[in-house]
Amino acid sequence: MRSGRNQVAAMTQAEKTEPENGREKEKEQRGVKRPIVPAAIPEPLQEHIQSDYVIVIHPGSSTLRIGRATDTHPAAIPHVIARRHKQPGQTYSCDKWLLRDGLNKPESNEQRQNGLKMVDQAIWSKKMSNGTRRIPAVPEQARAYNKQMRPAILDHDSGVKWTNTSHNEEYFVGEEALFVNPADRYDIHYPIRRGQLNIHGGPGGSVSAVLTDLEVIWSHVIQKFLEIQLKDLKYYRCILLIPDIYNRQHVKEMVNMILMKIGFSGVIVHQESVCAVYGSGLTSACVVDVGDQKTSICCVEDGISHRNTRLCLAYGGADVTRCFFWLMQRAGFPYRECQLTNTLDCLLLKQLKETYTHLDQDICGLQDHEFQVRHPDSPALLYQMRLGDEKLQAPMALFYPATFGIVGQKMTHLQHRSQGDPEDPHDEHYLLATQSKQDQSSKAAADRKGMPKPSMYDDVRSQGMDPERGHMMESELGPSQADGMGHSNDGEETSASLFARKTMVSQFEGKALGLDKAILHSIDCCTSDDTKKKMYSSILVIGGGLMFHKAQPFLQHRILNKMPPSFRRMVENVEVITRPKDMDPRVIVWKGGAVLSCLDTTQELWIYQREWQRFGVRMLRERAAFVW
């Protein structure tokens, strides 16, 4: 009798448990937080999603690097698109590459000459390794030789062809876009310039047009180079690497494009400097990224990018190329038809810069060189030329940017506060306002009770914010402005100090800092002496803009000479690292993104398609590994 009762009780318990389990399963299937693993991926392959099914995208200004996280090297493609004209009489449009605004002002040439004098003075003041001073090579000597040089014809067919446009393709991407004949009714667009979306007033310069170009380029490369069909991207996730000084609206639009248009199932957004540290196997470093269009500097400690140390200089390798062309013209450059408006000539100049320029003080005097010019529909030509100090002067312009001759442009950028986003009401503006109110009420209560006043950091922690973020807000606003958000009776004083702070920032951003001075400034913005010592002993140089012969000892010597004397005594060894683990410095950031995909801690950073549809940009505030 008892056993029968037990059986009934067991059955009842099983019936109760079954619907509960069913509800749990249903809740689990419905839950937003659960990682999305597409049903089409077989069970054994779910482990491989960490590597085989993760695509790392590093969108540079001139080169797109993209590949699976398991790839040894990414595919590197010129980040450019050629789009067919929609109407027959449409005007040809081509985004600038080596040319830029501010070069043709009345003061440009004078500034260029003054910069060159400073470069020459620096070259003369530093002795060669044998203890003697360099004898400057006079450009007039090279000019007399180069002016009489005429090209020799190597072959009547250069072997280089224009891209075949006979099928009227809608667009061409990468190398094919660069070799589209200007007469073939295609516009050339670079969607990213100086690390940001290339927004301008000309054709194809709107946000939507630039995002469409990015979508087409990335989709094309994924299909052609990675051999992944777009319909299969729902099984893949993406790691997007962004600059340290980023535009929130642009990042938001790119994430939306990756998830909702290209069709990845999930995305992680991370900063280039932190990924560079991951990729080089370091724990902390002052990361100096010299790219084609811009140079960014940032101090990274234990995987955190210190916001106050971020600087972006609006010059890079392309400016060195243009400066080298100007110096060669002074020395009677024999290829006289060379034009900065011609894309193929720009490619040739870039090649000449990479081949001949250096930062080796021991190389002096005039030397003979030769180069070939191979253009479509033209014979292959061989030119002889003689060059002297021009090969050293051009890369030294990075340390004396007046030599670039850029006038009236903002040359230094800092990270500014967010303007706010209607989709993200609980942003830093909200947190700062509530913090101010809580701060006032806490102080008032403390005054009444005679208790010690709470610190700003106590208030910050009580809201779940980290102290670095609180410090960042005050340092960006200025103490008076931060207080002013809660005090209406100090309006005049607040506006005056705010104006003074804005003036100081605009003056600083108007300066063209040399590379060594910018590094010293970034390290000096670190909060503690211990952190500064770490940064001086680990300066990591990445990107393709400083890959000159002897660049490492040259930069190290300049940092040692200019660093504060107190730190010169404290720091045992100032180390500049240009090739960590003998890796190509251009792929270190991408490598770091690939390493990131394998870390256990990364799993909680994924933003999935369904979450983005529901919560939008708020997911970036929740999941980004940096202060959004």
Side-chain angles (χ1 to χ4, degrees), residues 242-254:
I242 63 168
D244 301 299
I245 296 181
Y246 52 87
N247 182 308
R248 286 173 180 79
Q249 192 63 29
H250 293 178
V251 174
K252 170 186 151 185
E253 294 292 351
M254 285 198 282

Side-chain angles (χ1 to χ4, degrees), residues 592-609:
V595 169
L596 184 73
S597 71
C598 306
L599 300 178
D600 291 338
T601 50
T602 300
Q603 305 320 307
E604 59 200 45
L605 303 179
W606 290 108
I607 298 170
Y608 295 105
Q609 212 177 72

Side-chain angles (χ1 to χ4, degrees), residues 54 138 245 268 293 295 306 332 351 354 416 422 440 445 477 621:
V54 175
V138 186
I245 296 181
I268 286 176
Q293 298 278 312
T295 298
H306 289 299
Q351 183 191 339
E354 290 170 354
H416 290 291
Q440 288 171 59
L477 286 168
R621 184 167 298 286

Side-chain angles (χ1 to χ4, degrees), residues 282 284-286 533-540 573 575 577:
L282 301 170
S284 303
C286 175
K533 279 164 65 180
K534 274 189 205 173
M535 298 305 140
Y536 277 121
S537 59
S538 184
I539 298 170
L540 175 64
N573 185 27
E575 188 172 1
I577 306 158

Side-chain angles (χ1 to χ4, degrees), residues 7 12 16 156 158 168 204 228 247 266 353 382 384 474 494 502 520 556:
Q7 283 176 352
T12 314
K16 281 182 185 173
H156 290 285
S158 66
N168 279 335
I228 300 169
N247 182 308
K353 177 199 74 174
L382 177 69
Q384 305 273 345
E474 186 168 343
T494 302
K502 282 189 171 176
L520 292 167
Q556 190 160 308

